[in-house]
Amino acid sequence: MSLIDKALEANQAYAKTYDRKLGARPTPKIAVVTCMDPRLSDLPEILGMPQADLDVIRTGGPAVTDDVLGELIVSNRVLGTTEIMLLNHTGCGFTTFTDEEMNAKLSASTGDASPAPMRFFSYSDPEEHTREQIEKVRSHPWIAKDVPVRGFIFDVETGLIREVGVLQRSAT
């Protein structure tokens, strides 16, 4: 049996005890942009918040793409989240290659270079990446200026998160 078939079978059991109240419109309090890495899957436990309070946006890297910005705008302006948390992590797979390397590798291994150059949003420095993502969110005109936008790095070795400070620009 495939993993998808097992998941479908498990869903049948889940649906028998499903709380229909969960079908109500969500009212999360915080939007969390985090990596697709499965080590960050238990956010309610990691952050000590109920699942219902979290609007989780998962993306590779985690990169704040135009799609992610759109999701954050809806989260804030439609769902009513009042804070934005960007949660990167140590040991991210997106630090193990460059976009150029991935394009070359996939073009060679598949024999088809037509999709290249694709953007994979690889990066090398988690702190700098977090600062760039904060700036990208903070600078969007449709993200309310009174909404806190803060960035963190989850340490996959210890389970602790630490805040990444935003560098102050000098006034010249």
Side-chain angles (χ1 to χ4, degrees):
M1 179 183 291
S2 77
L3 292 175
I4 293 174
D5 289 333
K6 287 180 182 180
L8 292 172
E9 188 176 281
N11 177 256
Q12 293 297 312
Y14 170 79
K16 290 176 184 171
T17 60
Y18 178 70
D19 181 357
R20 293 188 185 278
K21 288 185 249 168
L22 294 174
R25 182 173 185 233
T27 56
K29 295 172 178 49
I30 182 172
V32 180
V33 178
T34 196
C35 191
M36 62 189 206
D37 190 305
R39 295 174 289 185
L40 292 164
S41 291
D42 196 7
L43 286 178
E45 198 64 27
I46 291 170
L47 300 176
M49 294 182 192
Q51 183 71 45
D53 287 352
L54 303 171
D55 184 13
V56 180
I57 302 167
R58 309 266 316 237
T59 182
V64 175
T65 63
D66 287 345
D67 290 343
V68 170
L69 282 168
E71 292 169 19
L72 285 171
I73 292 163
V74 169
S75 181
N76 174 234
R77 300 288 184 160
V78 177
L79 297 179
T81 56
T82 58
E83 298 184 46
I84 296 172
M85 177 183 214
L86 305 174
L87 185 58
N88 285 285
H89 65 96
T90 60
C92 184
F94 282 75
T95 63
T96 64
F97 60 86
T98 66
D99 285 13
E100 294 77 20
E101 291 168 345
M102 185 63 79
N103 277 287
K105 179 181 179 178
L106 293 171
S107 294
S109 68
T110 65
D112 186 351
S114 65
M118 281 192 69
R119 185 83 198 274
F120 294 99
F121 300 97
S122 62
Y123 64 97
S124 59
D125 180 347
E127 288 203 18
E128 182 58 32
H129 178 67
T130 302
R131 285 187 191 97
E132 290 169 2
Q133 302 311 297
I134 292 168
E135 180 60 30
K136 194 167 189 180
V137 173
R138 187 69 287 149
S139 67
H140 198 284
W142 292 352
I143 301 286
K145 296 305 175 210
D146 62 339
V147 171
V149 178
R150 296 169 60 189
F152 300 83
I153 297 175
F154 176 81
D155 187 320
V156 298
E157 301 286 323
T158 66
L160 294 171
I161 60 173
R162 65 179 168 82
E163 189 158 10
V164 173
V166 178
L167 300 177
Q168 298 298 318
R169 296 182 188 165
S170 60
T172 53

